[in-house]
Amino acid sequence: MTTHQIALGAYNLEAQDPTALAGFWASVTGATPSPGGESVYLPPAGPGGFAMFFQPETAPRPGHQASHLDLTVPWGSRQAEVDRLVGLGAVYKWDVLDEFPHVQWTTLADPEGNLFCVAEHPPAGS
């Protein structure tokens, strides 16, 4: 059997202001931005983290966002994390709390309107 070793290298975003948006996400993840020219690389903040890359917009943002980040936090900490992220500049959009027994999440938007979710999963056997 073939074993595939594939991992997320970085989540790439075009931004109106790559430096400012990288600053927001640095506050979210705890990573330190690494600017280079007009772009900014945000390395993983630690083991199990993820990298992000911000570059200037090359075209208008589409009306529908085709993908987004799902960030996971420990069970029982979602609301506190959502409150922290809103305090950093995220915009609350909606909650999905009762539709699925295996997950609850809150959808937010970063300062440039990119949607992302903060999810929590109940402990096994709950």
Side-chain angles (χ1 to χ4, degrees):
M1 176 161 81
T2 302
T3 301
H4 299 284
Q5 295 186 354
I6 189 167
L8 177 63
Y11 188 73
N12 295 279
L13 285 169
E14 289 190 358
Q16 294 170 7
D17 185 341
T19 301
L21 194 57
F24 167 79
W25 282 101
S27 296
V28 170
T29 65
T32 301
S34 179
E38 294 182 345
S39 300
V40 180
Y41 176 69
L42 190 64
F50 59 94
M52 299 180 82
F53 184 74
F54 303 88
Q55 57 196 3
E57 281 184 342
T58 58
R61 185 177 310 278
H64 172 76
Q65 186 174 324
S67 66
H68 67 269
L69 289 170
D70 279 341
L71 307 176
T72 303
V73 297
W75 180 254
S77 67
R78 179 189 47 78
Q79 188 59 56
E81 189 64 19
V82 166
D83 292 344
R84 181 181 81 87
L85 299 177
V86 168
L88 294 173
V91 176
Y92 170 84
K93 293 298 191 175
W94 61 81
D95 289 312
V96 176
L97 304 177
D98 300 320
E99 287 83 347
F100 304 97
H102 63 281
V103 64
Q104 296 179 346
W105 73 86
T106 299
T107 301
L108 302 170
D110 71 18
E112 288 201 11
N114 299 296
L115 298 179
F116 66 100
C117 295
V118 177
E120 61 185 349
H121 301 270
S126 293

